[in-house]
Amino acid sequence: MPAKKGSAGSNGSNDTAGAGGNRLVIVESPAKAKTIAGYLGRGYVVESSIGHIRDLPTKAAEIPARYKEESWARLGVNVDHDFEPLYVVNTDKKSHVKKLKDLMAQADELYLATDEDREGEAIAWHLREELKPKIPVKRMVFNEITKDAIQHAASNTRELNLRLVDAQETRRILDRLYGYEVSPVLWKKVMPKLSAGRVQSVATRLVVERERERMAFTAAEYWGLKAVFDALIGSSPDTPSSFPAALVAVDGARVAQGRDFTSDGVLRAPEGLLHLDEEAARALAARLDGADFAVQSVERKPYRRSPYAPFRTTTLQQEASRKLGLSAKQTMQVAQKLYENGYITYMRTDSTTLSASAVAAARDQAARLYGSSYVPDKPRVYASKVKNAQEAHEAIRPAGDSFRTPAETGLRGAEFRLYELIWKRTVASQMKDAVGESVTVRVAGVSSTGERAEFNATGKIITFHGFLKAYVEGSDDPQAELDDRERRLPPVDEGDALKAESLEAEGHSTRPPARYTEASLVKELEEREIGRPSTYASIIGTILDRGYVFKKGSALVPSFLAFAVVQLLERHFGNLVDYDFTAHMEDRLDDIARGDAERVPWLRRFYYGGDGEAGLKELVGDQLGEIDPKEISSFPLPGTDIMVRVGRYGPYLDREGQRVNVPEDLAPDELTKDKAEELFAQPSGDRELGTDPATGRAVVAKNGRFGPYVTEILEEPEAPAATDAKPKTRTKKAAAVKPRTGSLLKSMSLDTVTLEDALKLLSLPRVVGEIDGDEVTAQNGRFGPYLKKGTDSRSLETEEQMFTVTLDEAKEIFAKPKQRGRRAAAPPLRELGEDPETGSPMVIKEGRFGPYVTDGQSNASLRKGDEVESITVERAAELLAERRAKAPVKKAPAKKPAAKKPAAKKAPAKKTTKKT
DNA sequence: CAGTGAGCGAGCTTCCGCTTGACTT
């Protein structure tokens, strides 16, 4: 499938659909458009939609003005009227949609050739809705991109399948309701900007559940014997003389191994099992020292292994991770490049099917490289293992009707290695099975006290390598035996005497289940039918971005934040994070696609409830009060009176009010009782800076609620003798002598702050002098540096001024009224001229929340995509108009906040109470 | 998780699934 030049087909190939008219064909991907243009030739113009062209509005700014006041506008779904969706053309697609319209204006027929799956059908429908064609519209589908298949598809079109579109729309609406209703619950109860969704929340839950298993896990220790036996035949490269073997039984009782233990560290079924501890194992080894050993039995079984199916998205991500160390995202980026440049087929697929020409190419390549004896008589066919596979694409394979070897591509770096991986896997998939023999040798000996000890050794001889010549799959577990690796044993027979070269005790302990990696999590999701090939990489990205998981090497470790979020969802939205939720959804969508069910009753049940079960609306509305933020963010540390809490500033430990931070990168399963004590013992990362020579007190730097600061350590008022003393007395005493504190200046940092800096900070407030009988001091406050004179104050411009400002300067500053200092100091960033609507001049200013436009009356923040430098008069006027529409009266709302001032001040504190 | 005094434009965060290119330094 070499890329052809230009997007409009002009190659002189057969024109199957007849001469004359112009046909516009729209596919999803630009790369595909290029190829297909070449196959269709004259009379066809092939363009791409570049994925979906319309969607529900993402944020307020995208909601058309006439809907903004609707109660459901925030959702983009009219939940009051049959869940009717509101579609807008995505901002970044507007110009492209116009281009498609222009092309359509010159066409006589429109072919909607998007992928043949649920999403593809929907894209086709959206195209029809948005382009509003007045020319005939045909739906064209194909599963294979070859000239024959494409030409056949062009002359065998069908109608749009509106039921399939209905199913897609239902999926879309459900995901929106889930995501946009549940996320705000997290903002209120846990932390702003968090998110929940059908896929990401289950992915997070999987990672959290695995960590819980690890935390609940109790390791069991067990011992065995490892021996190396010598067959006394002399060794050659092909036939070793000695081989390793492990103790499996003593006097008929099987020796316990890792798999015999439960996750609680106890034996599953102790009868007939021998659990060796270190002492017993060493003693047995001693009693076997010098014993005679002989081969008790030799068991041979045929070994046969078939090649792996060609790559689909998830298997490619897994293997690229194991073998090339690429993340899911990196893999997809590299694959995208290979696809765009015509080296491989499409990389977001759940199909393992190869086209006939690809099968032929793979067989041909295998025969040329390894000989025809390596190629089976009949092509291999791979049925998809993925249950809800939509199979709109082929497997991922080298492009074209004959494959380029990696060397022939001229590729380099990651692109070369990924291509090579895909090429090998594809070629191997059409090769013969590997065959051989697996051998189990059992060796027995009698100890000095008459025990009969039996050892096992296993080997594998591959007599015909078949596909293994081309490709061996990697393993996630480095300890695991590679299934395909050859391991030879000496050619021994029953009764042969053996000499023990070495025999020693070996200790093991059971291991907790391994953490997920990106690749294994994606695999798990795919097996549970959650998520789609185009989203696997971004799901990982989302849960990383939200801080739900972090990476430790390649392992995905859940944060305590994830524990809190998952705990909330499990307790209050159990159905939504059920692992089968998506599977049930898919069943309903299939019903809808077949015409066996309607979407509205189903969505209504989901959103409004029924049959005695609460719907989503009630759960996020009336029942919201039942969610206790404190409880949801608290986890008792087993066996202690310590609580792990997730706060706004990260996780911390709480023991009767004593608090200490938990390092952000501490894995939850590493937070043991001992570790917690250790954290309490070295309080909160304080850094001792030295002693204040004036007071003899220690000065430390700490990180506090308001950022880094320095403080002094006061002597303990009393020895801890009076344990009965009421806290009140202590508070009183502490109130009498408060330690001096001071926030670090912006130029300082916690790591580098010196004693000298600290003493300077602790010297504040500085008395500047006296004005009109009032003492003037310079100090650092909540809003930065300022001067204080009685009840009056003025901000200072720089922190340095706190130490340098003179009395004369202070007089000057106090002579000016309060507000002006700030307001006049900020000149407009840009002047825009008159608002065409109101005639008042508009200027752009920099404010607390970033740049905004003001006409003196209304103010409106610039939105995403608006730039101070480039914003137009029209856009600014539009923003102001929007702002005016929202808050038309100026006085009433201005008064309210004023009256609420005390409440507003409490707001931050209130938030904290909610949380803590 | 330290503790101190203003007066000011609020507005937005978020879902899943399709698919790339557009900016500037």
Side-chain angles (χ1 to χ4, degrees):
Chain A
M1 193 177 70
K4 299 281 196 306
K5 275 182 210 155
S7 65
S10 54
N11 295 35
S13 53
N14 292 342
D15 191 352
T16 50
N22 285 315
R23 299 163 194 86
L24 174 61
V25 180
I26 303 180
V27 297
E28 286 181 40
S29 139
K32 204 190 244 186
K34 276 190 196 173
T35 314
I36 290 175
Y39 293 150
L40 286 173
R42 222 180 289 281
Y44 290 87
V45 172
V46 187
E47 211 11 280
S48 66
S49 71
I50 326 181
H52 273 291
I53 56 155
R54 300 200 308 184
D55 193 10
L56 305 175
T58 307
K59 47 183 190 244
E62 285 180 4
I63 300 169
R66 65 180 179 283
Y67 294 105
K68 280 208 164 155
E69 296 308 310
E70 302 284 350
S71 57
W72 49 265
R74 180 181 64 83
L75 297 170
V77 175
N78 187 346
V79 291
D80 300 329
H81 192 260
D82 290 350
F83 299 92
E84 212 168 80
L86 169 64
Y87 289 117
V88 295
V89 175
N90 309 15
T91 333
D92 54 336
K93 289 290 171 58
K94 288 209 164 110
S95 63
H96 192 68
V97 167
K98 187 179 180 303
K99 182 178 175 186
L100 291 176
K101 280 182 177 164
D102 292 345
L103 283 172
M104 194 179 65
Q106 297 163 29
D108 304 314
E109 269 184 323
L110 177 62
Y111 284 64
L112 300 174
T114 49
D115 296 347
E116 190 177 24
D117 57 16
R118 200 161 64 205
E119 296 295 329
E121 203 72 18
I123 293 173
W125 176 78
H126 278 300
L127 283 166
R128 198 179 71 177
E129 291 291 299
E130 193 59 36
L131 300 180
K132 300 184 181 69
K134 297 200 168 62
I135 51 176
V137 178
K138 294 177 170 175
R139 175 77 169 107
M140 167 174 161
V141 293
F142 44 87
N143 293 315
E144 203 180 68
I145 304 181
T146 58
K147 193 168 181 177
D148 286 347
I150 297 299
Q151 291 179 350
H152 181 260
S155 45
N156 289 277
T157 56
R158 62 165 170 82
E159 295 290 304
L160 270 179
N161 179 350
L162 292 180
R163 291 204 296 234
L164 197 56
V165 175
D166 217 23
Q168 188 277 344
E169 209 166 35
T170 309
R171 197 276 309 153
R172 181 68 191 91
I173 292 167
L174 180 124
D175 281 333
R176 168 53 65 92
L177 294 176
Y178 186 145
Y180 274 38
E181 289 286 30
V182 180
S183 298
V185 173
L186 300 181
W187 305 343
K188 285 175 201 146
K189 302 290 181 177
V190 185
M191 212 185 266
K193 296 198 176 184
L194 296 180
S195 62
R198 176 173 56 83
V199 175
Q200 60 168 287
S201 294
V202 169
T204 307
R205 186 178 176 210
L206 283 167
V207 179
V208 166
E209 283 261 4
R210 177 62 54 87
E211 196 74 4
R212 287 177 181 156
E213 287 173 30
R214 291 171 60 86
M215 292 158 85
F217 184 83
T218 310
E221 195 181 314
Y222 60 96
W223 284 68
L225 299 184
K226 188 98 194 158
V228 175
F229 293 114
D230 191 345
L232 306 166
I233 55 172
S235 63
S236 71
D238 267 359
T239 53
S241 176
S242 62
F243 59 98
L247 179 74
V248 291
V250 177
D251 284 340
R254 191 164 66 75
V255 174
Q257 296 175 16
R259 62 172 178 272
D260 295 315
F261 294 89
T262 68
S263 57
D264 295 326
V266 298
L267 280 176
R268 237 177 270 279
E271 292 90 54
L273 271 189
L274 176 64
H275 180 189
L276 288 177
D277 60 14
E278 178 172 8
E279 200 186 340
R282 290 196 189 284
L284 180 61
R287 293 198 296 276
L288 283 168
D289 190 28
D292 292 327
F293 290 94
V295 174
Q296 183 185 319
S297 66
V298 177
E299 197 183 330
R300 295 174 194 278
K301 277 190 204 153
Y303 164 87
R304 174 174 283 269
R305 182 153 194 95
S306 299
Y308 314 96
F311 279 131
R312 55 182 193 272
T313 302
T314 51
T315 50
L316 177 68
Q317 287 176 357
Q318 285 155 34
E319 281 288 88
S321 163
R322 291 170 187 147
K323 293 190 165 167
L324 309 181
L326 296 178
S327 70
K329 188 177 166 189
Q330 289 170 325
T331 301
M332 295 312 280
Q333 278 171 347
V334 176
Q336 175 84 31
K337 271 262 179 283
L338 291 172
Y339 167 66
E340 283 171 14
N341 294 321
Y343 290 106
I344 62 169
T345 55
Y346 196 60
M347 62 282 155
R348 289 184 278 263
T349 176
D350 50 18
S351 171
T352 52
T353 308
L354 294 179
S355 69
S357 66
V359 168
R363 289 167 61 84
D364 176 63
Q365 190 101 85
R368 260 192 286 158
L369 287 167
Y370 306 106
S372 54
S373 63
Y374 278 82
V375 184
D377 296 340
K378 281 187 188 168
R380 289 182 183 274
V381 178
Y382 293 92
S384 183
K385 278 184 203 158
V386 183
K387 276 172 271 175
N388 65 341
Q390 307 208 0
E391 306 256 8
H393 305 277
E394 266 193 77
I396 305 169
R397 62 164 176 93
D401 293 342
S402 68
F403 299 162
R404 279 172 281 187
T405 63
E408 284 165 358
T409 61
L411 291 167
R412 290 160 163 270
E415 289 183 26
F416 175 87
R417 287 180 294 153
L418 194 69
Y419 179 83
E420 185 183 44
L421 195 66
I422 293 166
W423 174 80
K424 280 182 175 175
R425 175 100 166 197
T426 310
V427 170
S429 76
Q430 286 299 328
M431 291 172 67
K432 279 188 180 169
D433 288 354
V435 293
E437 197 174 57
S438 65
V439 187
T440 304
V441 173
R442 185 158 282 214
V443 177
V446 177
S447 75
S448 57
T449 54
E451 299 147 301
R452 181 180 172 80
E454 294 175 42
F455 293 77
N456 251 12
T458 58
K460 186 182 296 162
I461 299 162
I462 294 175
T463 50
F464 178 73
H465 279 83
F467 79 94
L468 289 179
K469 283 264 187 196
Y471 190 90
V472 178
E473 187 166 84
S475 167
D476 286 327
D477 182 358
Q479 303 267 339
E481 191 67 48
L482 264 186
D483 209 16
D484 308 314
R485 198 191 302 163
E486 184 160 85
R487 199 172 52 190
R488 288 178 179 270
L489 293 179
V492 290
D493 284 317
E494 201 176 316
D496 286 358
L498 300 172
K499 177 173 173 286
E501 253 176 33
S502 69
L503 201 159
E504 46 197 38
E506 203 177 45
H508 313 271
S509 71
T510 55
R511 287 179 305 163
R515 291 207 179 89
Y516 285 107
T517 61
E518 287 194 13
S520 67
L521 180 60
V522 163
K523 184 182 177 189
E524 184 77 36
L525 289 171
E526 184 190 45
E527 279 168 7
R528 294 175 183 274
E529 306 177 57
I530 299 167
R532 303 280 312 135
S534 65
T535 62
Y536 291 127
S538 62
I539 292 162
I540 306 281
T542 299
I543 62 178
L544 283 169
D545 282 352
R546 297 285 172 274
Y548 294 154
V549 303
F550 59 94
K551 290 185 78 167
K552 218 171 179 178
S554 63
L556 293 175
V557 185
S559 62
F560 285 103
L561 172 65
F563 273 68
V565 167
V566 167
Q567 178 155 282
L568 186 154
L569 295 176
E570 284 172 340
R571 289 197 192 166
H572 300 278
F573 300 91
N575 287 337
L576 298 189
V577 286
D578 190 299
Y579 291 129
D580 289 330
F581 181 84
T582 292
H584 291 149
M585 178 194 79
E586 289 289 344
D587 289 346
R588 290 290 83 70
L589 297 183
D590 286 346
D591 291 344
I592 291 167
R594 277 197 312 271
D596 292 343
E598 287 182 68
R599 79 178 192 203
V600 172
W602 186 64
L603 285 171
R604 187 170 287 142
R605 172 84 166 67
F606 174 74
Y607 194 68
Y608 291 108
D611 307 330
E613 264 189 60
L616 182 58
K617 185 181 163 68
E618 193 184 338
L619 292 175
V620 303
D622 294 348
Q623 294 191 18
L624 195 62
E626 291 175 18
I627 303 177
D628 178 1
K630 180 174 176 175
E631 190 198 339
I632 225 68
S633 305
S634 301
F635 309 90
L637 192 63
T640 69
D641 57 350
I642 299 171
M643 272 288 189
V644 186
R645 306 279 306 281
V646 181
R648 228 149 256 259
Y649 317 102
Y652 62 96
L653 303 179
D654 188 330
R655 178 160 56 190
E656 292 167 0
Q658 197 196 351
R659 289 168 170 179
V660 58
N661 280 330
V662 175
E664 298 269 346
D665 59 348
L666 182 75
D669 77 336
E670 288 168 17
L671 183 58
T672 56
K673 195 182 166 198
D674 288 349
K675 181 72 190 178
E677 292 298 348
E678 187 188 318
L679 290 172
F680 274 115
Q682 46 167 47
S684 61
D686 295 2
R687 202 161 73 82
E688 293 214 16
L689 300 176
T691 311
D692 182 350
T695 62
R697 291 171 183 158
V699 178
V700 294
K702 296 175 133 185
N703 216 344
R705 254 191 310 165
F706 314 119
Y709 68 104
V710 293
T711 187
E712 57 187 352
I713 304 293
L714 302 181
E715 292 298 318
E716 285 294 321
E718 278 168 40
T723 39
D724 260 13
K726 292 267 157 72
K728 271 183 187 172
T729 46
R730 277 183 57 188
T731 332
K732 260 184 190 168
K733 276 208 165 179
V737 216
K738 262 189 183 169
R740 292 174 298 161
T741 61
S743 285
L744 295 200
L745 303 186
K746 289 193 180 95
S747 58
M748 302 173 180
S749 95
L750 204 49
D751 301 328
T752 57
V753 67
T754 62
L755 179 64
E756 196 186 344
D757 294 332
L759 295 177
K760 197 168 140 191
L761 293 171
L762 293 179
S763 74
L764 294 172
R766 178 174 74 97
V767 178
V768 179
E770 211 171 85
I771 302 176
D772 307 334
D774 287 325
E775 190 179 74
V776 176
T777 53
Q779 52 205 299
N780 208 1
R782 192 177 165 205
F783 312 112
Y786 69 105
L787 290 174
K788 185 176 174 181
K789 177 170 80 84
T791 53
D792 202 5
S793 68
R794 294 286 186 281
S795 287
L796 290 172
E797 281 179 26
T798 69
E799 289 176 324
E800 197 51 34
Q801 281 183 300
M802 288 188 290
F803 308 102
T804 59
V805 74
T806 63
L807 187 59
D808 285 343
E809 286 166 346
K811 279 179 181 165
E812 223 172 286
I813 291 169
F814 273 105
K816 287 180 185 167
K818 213 172 218 176
Q819 276 185 357
R820 274 234 294 242
R822 281 255 157 136
R823 278 225 151 177
L829 295 173
R830 207 178 142 210
E831 295 182 21
L832 272 179
E834 285 179 5
D835 184 333
E837 215 170 302
T838 63
S840 41
M842 302 183 294
V843 293
I844 308 286
K845 288 186 173 181
E846 183 67 38
R848 262 199 305 160
F849 311 116
Y852 66 101
V853 57
T854 176
D855 61 358
Q857 286 279 313
S858 307
N859 309 297
S861 285
L862 300 200
R863 306 275 170 75
K864 248 182 212 169
D866 295 328
E867 297 293 337
V868 176
E869 310 304 324
S870 58
I871 191 167
T872 61
V873 174
E874 290 74 25
R875 174 65 179 155
E878 185 185 331
L879 288 172
L880 282 173
E882 255 180 47
R883 180 78 193 94
R884 276 193 293 269
K886 212 161 218 178
V889 197
K890 242 207 153 183
K891 275 183 183 169
K895 212 176 179 185
K896 266 190 179 173
K900 270 187 185 170
K901 201 81 198 196
K905 254 191 174 172
K906 267 186 203 161
K910 208 174 180 185
K911 270 181 201 162
T912 344
T913 13
K914 239 182 176 181
K915 275 241 56 254
T916 36

